[in-house]
């Protein structure tokens, strides 16, 4: 009977806790659906600029829609640098050269495969040597670039975002459940001062966390680093502050640590798929706009551009400003969320 009573009590607890029931039965279905949509996507279709005489250009374009004609090699290489193209193919018989953008291994492989297949289809026998051994150059990266060099920047951003989100949310929740927040609210301190104080307090430790993770990835794991480590630390710091302000915001809607953890499948996991860790270009068109509302999209992209492409502040400041915008938005919502505890 005692066992029966315990079982009944647990069942009643679950039935009363609608959020836990949703996490157990609905969240897995949503994530599985998202995974299915992401991994059931189309193959990557490269964009390749061709600089050659009109006859060869027409032959290549007739074999594959991936080729785009360019009259000027400098314009083609500028578009490559601007990431409008994945590769530039220059055919000046009897030589052929391929310049890859280089930062995306998937795009590199797809571009080389498409080009080699198209070159083999050329009917002119004078190009036999060209078709067999084109010269391959890299704008960014190299032939020795490993998969971890590409996904590493996104993983750095993800782990910083995930742990800061979780720790800050649980810590702020504990402040509320232990009565510390109520005692602070009883003082003349304003809500915005409280939010800024928490952000700065946690932010001190996120600076240290960002520096340790980035330094470990570069100097211990030997991940590719073409740009400035200080820019990477800055980006990860802004990403951490975004996660911190989001974590404290969502903690206002949780009553215990379990409910805070339940936000992970709904808030953190979807960002993994849209941050650039998986190719957004191959997703269904209606899924792509979701990446716009994901902070990890901007953080991961900026870290990748600095570490792989060697970009400077002028190239990544837009992403940093977006992260600042997310942080300010979440901080304002934090201030509003504190209204239910005290009105000033």
């Amino acid at each position: 009977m005692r066992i029966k009573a315990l079982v009944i009590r647990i069942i009643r607890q679950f039935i009363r806790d609608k959020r836990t029931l949703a996490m157990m039965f609905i969240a897995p279905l949503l994530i599985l659906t998202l995974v299915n949509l992401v991994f059931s996507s189309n193959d990557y279709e490269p964009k390749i600029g061709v600089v050659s005489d009109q006859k060869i250009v027409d032959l290549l374009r007739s074999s594959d829609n991936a080729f785009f004609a360019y009259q000027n090699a400098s314009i083609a290489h500028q578009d490559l640098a601007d990431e409008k193209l994945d590769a530039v193919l220059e055919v000046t018989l009897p030589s052929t050269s391929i310049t890859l953008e280089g930062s995306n291994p998937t795009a590199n492989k797809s571009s080389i495969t498409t080009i080699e297949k198209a070159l083999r289809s050329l009917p002119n026998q004078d190009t036999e040597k060209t078709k067999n051994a084109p010269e391959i150059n890299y704008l960014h990266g190299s032939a020795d670039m490993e998969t971890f060099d590409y996904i590493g920047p996104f993983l750095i951003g993800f782990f910083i975002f995930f742990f800061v989100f979780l720790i800050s949310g649980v810590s702020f929740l504990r402040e509320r459940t232990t009565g510390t927040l109520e005692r602070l609210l009883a003082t003349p301190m304003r809500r915005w001062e409280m939010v800024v104080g928490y952000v700065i307090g946690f932010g001190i430790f996120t600076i240290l966390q960002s520096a340790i993770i980035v330094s470990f990835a570069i100097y211990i794991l030997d991940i590719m680093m073409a740009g400035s480590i200080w820019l990477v630390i800055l980006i990860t710091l802004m990403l951490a502050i975004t996660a911190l302000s989001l974590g404290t915001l969502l903690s206002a809607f949780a009553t215990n640590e379990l409910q805070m953890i339940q936000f992970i499948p709904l808030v953190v996991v979807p960002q993994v798929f849209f941050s650039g860790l998986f190719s957004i270009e191959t997703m269904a068109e209606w899924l792509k706009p979701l990446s716009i509302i994901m902070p990890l999209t901007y953080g991961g992209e900026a870290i990748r551009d600095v570490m792989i492409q060697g970009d400077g502040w002028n190239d990544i400041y837009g992403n940093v400003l977006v992260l600042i915008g997310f942080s300010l938005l979440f901080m304002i919502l934090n201030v509003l969320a504190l209204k239910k505890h005290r009105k000033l």
Side-chain angles (χ1 to χ4, degrees):
M1 293 298 294
R2 289 192 294 268
I3 295 176
K4 179 181 178 182
L6 178 60
V7 171
I8 292 175
R9 183 177 67 82
I10 293 174
I11 292 174
R12 286 175 177 171
Q13 284 179 342
F14 270 95
I15 292 176
R16 294 192 188 103
D17 192 349
K18 301 297 190 297
R19 184 179 299 180
T20 297
L21 288 176
M23 288 299 103
M24 289 183 64
F25 300 112
I26 299 177
L29 302 182
L30 292 175
I31 294 176
L32 280 174
T33 302
L34 185 59
V35 171
N36 176 67
L37 291 171
V38 171
F39 288 98
S40 298
S41 55
N42 300 320
D43 293 333
Y44 187 86
E45 297 182 1
K47 299 180 181 64
I48 304 168
V50 183
V51 181
S52 184
D53 62 63
Q54 192 59 44
K55 178 181 178 181
I56 293 179
V57 170
D58 291 340
L59 289 171
L60 291 174
R61 296 191 66 185
S62 64
S63 66
D64 200 301
N65 293 328
F67 295 99
F68 299 88
Y70 281 82
Q71 300 296 324
N72 191 311
S74 62
I75 297 177
H77 282 278
Q78 182 59 51
D79 284 351
L80 185 68
D82 293 338
E83 299 185 48
K84 296 178 181 179
L85 296 174
D86 296 304
V88 172
L89 171 64
E90 297 180 70
V91 182
T92 54
L93 299 179
S95 64
T96 301
S97 67
I98 302 172
T99 304
L100 299 170
E101 193 276 332
S103 60
N104 187 340
T106 301
N108 295 342
K109 182 178 180 181
S110 180
S111 298
I112 292 175
T113 301
T114 301
I115 291 173
E116 290 180 343
K117 180 180 178 181
L119 289 177
R120 285 195 296 268
S121 69
L122 293 177
N124 192 337
Q125 297 300 316
D126 294 334
T127 64
E128 189 65 33
K129 181 178 180 181
T130 296
K131 290 185 286 184
N132 292 334
E135 177 187 356
I136 300 178
N137 303 301
Y138 290 80
L139 181 62
H140 304 295
S142 66
D144 299 327
M145 181 177 174
E146 299 177 352
T147 302
F148 185 70
D149 290 318
Y150 176 71
I151 68 173
F154 297 103
L155 291 178
I156 290 173
F158 167 72
F159 284 126
I160 289 176
F161 187 93
F162 172 73
F163 286 110
V164 171
F165 169 84
L166 183 60
I167 293 172
S168 63
V170 172
S171 299
F172 195 76
L173 175 63
R174 192 169 297 162
E175 292 276 274
R176 199 177 80 238
T177 56
T178 57
T180 304
L181 182 61
E182 283 72 12
R183 289 192 292 272
L184 285 173
L185 288 170
T187 68
M189 179 178 287
R190 296 183 178 276
R191 293 190 304 269
W192 69 267
E193 293 176 325
M194 191 177 306
V195 171
V196 171
Y198 274 108
V199 170
I200 294 176
F202 281 105
I204 293 173
F205 291 94
T206 60
I207 294 174
L208 182 61
Q209 180 204 43
S210 300
I212 291 175
I213 292 177
V214 172
S215 299
F216 182 83
I218 295 173
Y219 299 114
I220 304 299
L221 300 182
D222 197 28
I223 192 172
M224 179 181 291
M225 184 63 190
S228 169
I229 186 175
W230 299 108
L231 281 179
V232 176
I233 292 176
L234 172 64
I235 298 165
T236 55
L237 175 60
M238 296 312 308
L239 193 57
I241 292 177
T242 303
L244 191 158
S245 55
L246 178 59
T248 55
L249 171 63
L250 294 181
S251 70
F253 303 96
T255 58
N256 53 57
E257 285 85 351
L258 176 60
Q259 290 187 354
M260 186 63 210
I261 294 173
Q262 288 172 352
F263 283 116
I264 293 175
L266 299 178
V267 177
V268 178
V269 173
Q271 298 204 53
V272 176
F273 299 105
F274 296 97
S275 65
L277 186 60
F278 303 98
S279 180
I280 298 176
E281 289 79 5
T282 61
M283 295 181 185
E285 290 297 326
W286 65 272
L287 276 177
K288 294 179 181 179
L290 292 178
S291 65
I292 299 174
I293 61 174
M294 305 291 178
L296 266 177
T297 298
Y298 305 94
E301 182 180 283
I303 296 173
R304 179 206 63 187
D305 290 348
V306 173
M307 297 184 71
I308 297 179
Q309 300 181 6
D311 286 357
W313 170 251
N314 291 335
D315 302 302
I316 56 95
Y317 77 92
N319 288 333
V320 174
L321 291 179
V322 172
L323 291 177
I324 293 175
F326 273 117
S327 299
L328 292 175
L329 173 62
F330 295 147
M331 289 173 68
I332 292 172
L333 294 177
N334 264 299
V335 174
L336 297 177
L338 289 175
K339 268 189 174 182
K340 63 181 180 180
H341 297 285
R342 185 189 73 180
K343 294 184 178 180
L344 296 178

